[in-house]
Amino acid sequence: MKKGYNERQLEDALVRNITRFLLELGTGFSFIGRQIELRMPNGKSFFPDMLFYHFRLKCFVVVELKVIDFIPEFAGKLNFYVTAVDKLLKADDDNQTIGLLICKSKDKTLVEWSFQDVNKPLGVASYELQNVIDSTIDENLPSIEQIESAVNGEENSQ
């Protein structure tokens, strides 16, 4: 991904590479969807970035993506999404929903203090981008040979 990407672009890239992302998460995960609507009794709707179900743990897993460093406000949002999934989607035989916040980086003390006294299974992970070129971009760009030919004036002779 190019510098300056936003959360939606990160989410799009993860969904395009969902098999690889599932392998990174580990065994037992099933992708439910992205931006799944959580409609409150008052009619307001909220949309967590990604929703998974873990078959071995028998629970939903809410994943929130942030393209900036962790800040304490993220804990409240993740806690809200976990509670909403528990209230709206969780079946009686499901275990409590887990929340996972994936952000650019994290300060251990900020994370600890932000989640202190929160009694839900929530976690924070940082990520590192690999140098992966989107295949759709790669397919639409000229090859190195085509660019070299154009620079050398060979394109007009073909």
Side-chain angles (χ1 to χ4, degrees):
M1 294 183 62
K2 295 180 182 181
K3 289 186 178 186
Y5 60 90
N6 61 32
E7 288 174 17
R8 183 62 66 142
Q9 291 166 324
L10 176 59
E11 182 182 323
D12 289 343
L14 289 174
V15 170
R16 277 193 309 273
N17 295 288
I18 194 65
T19 301
R20 287 176 45 197
F21 187 54
L22 285 169
L23 290 172
E24 279 289 318
L25 289 173
T27 58
F29 282 90
S30 176
F31 181 55
I32 303 299
R34 61 190 271 189
Q35 302 297 320
I36 300 293
E37 181 180 24
L38 300 175
R39 185 179 296 266
M40 304 295 110
N42 65 6
K44 289 185 180 179
S45 293
F46 296 89
F47 302 87
D49 292 331
M50 302 175 91
L51 185 63
F52 296 86
Y53 191 84
H54 195 284
F55 287 100
R56 290 187 178 163
L57 298 176
K58 199 156 176 47
C59 67
F60 286 99
V61 179
V62 174
V63 174
E64 267 301 287
L65 305 169
K66 299 295 177 195
V67 296
I68 61 174
D69 297 343
F70 176 84
I71 57 175
E73 290 86 345
F74 296 160
K77 185 174 187 180
L78 184 61
N79 183 48
F80 170 77
Y81 283 148
V82 166
T83 299
V85 168
D86 277 345
K87 300 281 187 189
L88 299 170
L89 302 177
K90 180 177 145 317
D92 291 339
D93 60 338
D94 286 334
N95 290 313
Q96 186 178 15
T97 299
I98 295 172
L100 176 60
L101 175 64
I102 301 175
C103 51
K104 188 172 184 179
S105 68
K106 60 182 182 175
D107 175 284
K108 186 176 179 181
T109 303
L110 276 178
V111 171
E112 284 180 18
W113 290 8
S114 297
F115 287 98
Q116 183 139 10
D117 300 325
V118 174
N119 298 316
K120 294 186 174 109
L122 305 174
V124 177
S126 56
Y127 65 87
E128 183 177 322
L129 289 178
Q130 296 178 357
N131 229 355
V132 178
I133 296 177
D134 185 348
S135 62
T136 58
I137 292 173
D138 197 23
E139 293 167 1
N140 293 313
L141 292 176
S143 69
I144 292 173
E145 294 79 16
Q146 290 169 321
I147 294 171
E148 288 174 350
S149 293
V151 169
N152 295 328
E154 297 170 15
E155 185 174 296
N156 294 334
S157 63
Q158 292 179 353

